[in-house]
Amino acid sequence: MACCVDCPRRYFVVFLGFIGLLVSIGFRTCFALVMVHVTNHTSTERDDDSLFHNCTTSRDLQLNIEPSHVFLLHTAFYCGSLVTQIPGGILATRYSPKWVCGLSIVLSSVLFLVLPTAIQYNLPAVYVIRVLQGLVEGCSIPALNGIISAWAPKTERSRMITVAYAGAYISPAIALMTSGACSCYVSWNSIIYIYGGCGVAWSIVWMLCIHDNPKHHPRLGARERQLFCTDDVVINRPDQEEKIIPWRAILTSLPVYAIIVGAFCRNWIFSMLITQQPQYFKEVFHMTTADIGFLSAVPHVLMTVVVITGGFVVDNFIKRDIFSTTVARKLSETLGFGVEAACVMVIAFVDDKHKALVLLCVGVAFSGIAISGYQVNPLDLAPKYASVVTGLARLGMLGAVLSTVVAYFVRDIVTDPAEVPEAWKRLFIIAASIHFFGVLFYAVFASGNRQPWSGSPSTLSVSITQPVANDDKDYDETTRLLRRRLRLHRPQLVDADSYEYGSTTRFLNTI
């Protein structure tokens, strides 16, 4: 029992965040592969090199719907999710992010459980359910980011956010494998009931066990409480101060727009990987649902490993002053998404499934490095307003909306099965070009430092870095000695305010 009391509570928050994203992102992947499985296709060819044969079950379903129209079902979800990104961030900042996140997932789970009936008997209702799912689920990510920002000491931010968000990136792998196997060998709708039930169970545990921040936790250990006090996490901040949101400053901040653009381009690619990649393998290489699920999962497994290790590596680079936070974020984004964009571009000209899978593995794996870039960035710019900035960044969901809409139009104009590979070639070229643009924009305008609108900086660092009177020699000497001692023992306290203004803001202030 004593061991449980001494266990750091912040690790439990990260663990539940990991599981929550594993389940909620899995909803999209399960639905995508189920729809690929039940949709009639123009080609009756089958892959002779299949790993799983006899992909049939007595509880199967075939819908008379064009494959391109399935993309609009994904569009419906992303449109709903787009609407509630900013409101979700506001709700999580003004009220309880724990309840916002928990209620968001439980409502989405219930709607997910209703989907099989609608798919089988009333397709128009599927559009309505997908929109409602998007609306309620759109609040979950900003709220989760608010919880993690409250529980993340400065020196652990990258690793905590990357470990939690690893759930989102391993989720497609698990969902693809389980959906493929269940659709082929159990029933077409079994995976929907499994994931929906898991979502309801997770929400109950989350709402009962999680607290909004360390200050509200009644059983926080003394050592962990001291850590939060030293690193100036929200434990000692007035709750009322958080209710004042500097909207004008946030909406005119170029580093915030760099995050939004990066998120837009990333969502375009990620939507393609989850909702369109299964269709690509089905139509171009004629793979079975089980094959698609198993082989498509490999790139996501590799990315998850890179996401977690990349977070630790980037944290160490920053902690040891090898790179500034700004340089570390930009390098992560450029290397991760730059390689992924290059691989997606090459896939457009590949006509062999093994080469396509290798390129996907390389590109998707490298993209995991970039999570230590734009995904962590809101915590750098303004820890107190991380939910709001994340909500704005989640407007990048527009990339997912446009990705599915473009896929619908590009694929829908094709009537000859021989022209299907050419349509997919165009889709990959468009996606890669947009991804390259996002990498360039982030490299120019991003910043990894706390912004002047972020609220109260570290009390300790302000008191020693802002001398009151420069002509007081005794004061200057005392300050110099104190700063030297702090640099030796806790350099991050001094550095936090030594780089208070991000590179972009500092440049604008000199004009």
Side-chain angles (χ1 to χ4, degrees), residues 1-9 217-224:
M1 184 69 178
C3 180
C4 293
V5 173
D6 293 337
C7 180
R9 304 292 175 175
H217 202 297
R219 294 178 299 278
L220 191 67
R223 181 181 300 177
E224 195 169 17

Side-chain angles (χ1 to χ4, degrees), residues 28 51 60 94 105 114 129 219 282 321 464 490:
R28 310 173 197 179
L51 297 175
D60 212 344
R94 292 186 179 275
I105 300 301
V114 179
I129 294 173
R219 294 178 299 278
K282 183 85 170 183
D321 289 330
I464 63 174
R490 292 192 64 78

Side-chain angles (χ1 to χ4, degrees), residues 413-424 426:
I413 62 175
V414 175
T415 56
D416 185 359
E419 297 178 358
V420 169
E422 190 65 26
W424 284 104
R426 289 194 289 269

Side-chain angles (χ1 to χ4, degrees), residues 268-412:
W268 190 295
I269 290 285
F270 196 59
S271 171
M272 171 175 274
L273 292 174
I274 291 180
T275 64
Q276 299 163 41
Q277 175 191 312
Q279 196 98 333
Y280 164 71
F281 282 120
K282 183 85 170 183
E283 293 188 333
V284 176
F285 301 115
H286 317 293
M287 295 166 60
T288 67
T289 307
D291 282 329
I292 294 171
F294 181 78
L295 295 176
S296 298
V298 177
H300 295 283
V301 173
L302 296 176
M303 179 176 63
T304 305
V305 174
V306 176
V307 164
I308 297 175
T309 56
F312 284 95
V313 170
V314 172
D315 268 346
N316 284 327
F317 281 155
I318 296 173
K319 188 175 182 179
R320 297 179 182 180
D321 289 330
I322 297 175
F323 297 125
S324 68
T325 304
T326 297
V327 172
R329 300 295 180 231
K330 290 184 176 182
L331 282 177
S332 299
E333 184 90 359
T334 302
L335 179 62
F337 288 164
V339 172
E340 183 179 42
C343 289
V344 170
M345 181 66 77
V346 176
I347 289 174
F349 302 93
V350 167
D351 57 2
D352 179 79
K353 74 172 184 180
H354 299 101
K355 293 178 181 178
L357 283 169
V358 169
L359 287 166
L360 275 175
C361 288
V362 174
V364 176
F366 264 88
S367 71
I369 301 173
I371 306 307
S372 294
Y374 86 96
Q375 194 83 70
V376 186
N377 220 175
L379 302 180
D380 298 319
L381 301 184
K384 189 165 60 177
Y385 302 115
S387 292
V388 176
V389 177
T390 303
L392 287 171
R394 295 287 295 172
L395 288 176
M397 187 66 70
L398 180 61
V401 174
L402 295 179
S403 176
T404 52
V405 170
V406 169
Y408 165 73
F409 284 110
V410 172
R411 178 62 185 83
D412 193 53

Side-chain angles (χ1 to χ4, degrees), residues 81-140:
S81 182
L82 179 64
V83 172
T84 52
Q85 295 302 314
I86 293 179
I90 297 173
L91 287 172
T93 300
R94 292 186 179 275
Y95 303 105
S96 169
K98 175 189 79 171
W99 287 102
V100 172
C101 184
L103 291 174
S104 170
I105 300 301
V106 73
L107 290 175
S108 180
S109 302
V110 172
L111 289 168
F112 199 58
L113 290 170
V114 179
L115 268 177
T117 303
I119 291 172
Q120 191 166 5
Y121 299 108
N122 193 340
L123 274 177
V126 178
Y127 286 95
V128 177
I129 294 173
R130 293 297 285 167
V131 171
L132 292 176
Q133 253 196 300
L135 286 171
V136 298
E137 200 174 312
C139 301
S140 61

Side-chain angles (χ1 to χ4, degrees), residues 13 16-17 87-106 136-151 202-203 206-216 234 239 242-243 379 383-388 390-391:
V13 172
L16 277 187
I90 297 173
L91 287 172
T93 300
R94 292 186 179 275
Y95 303 105
S96 169
K98 175 189 79 171
W99 287 102
V100 172
C101 184
L103 291 174
S104 170
I105 300 301
V106 73
V136 298
E137 200 174 312
C139 301
S140 61
I141 301 296
L144 178 62
N145 227 32
I147 290 286
I148 294 177
S149 69
W151 283 90
W202 177 89
S203 301
W206 173 269
M207 290 184 285
L208 290 178
C209 299
I210 296 298
H211 295 79
D212 287 330
N213 57 53
K215 180 177 62 176
H216 294 148
V234 297
D239 289 339
E242 297 181 10
K243 297 181 183 295
L379 302 180
K384 189 165 60 177
Y385 302 115
S387 292
V388 176
T390 303

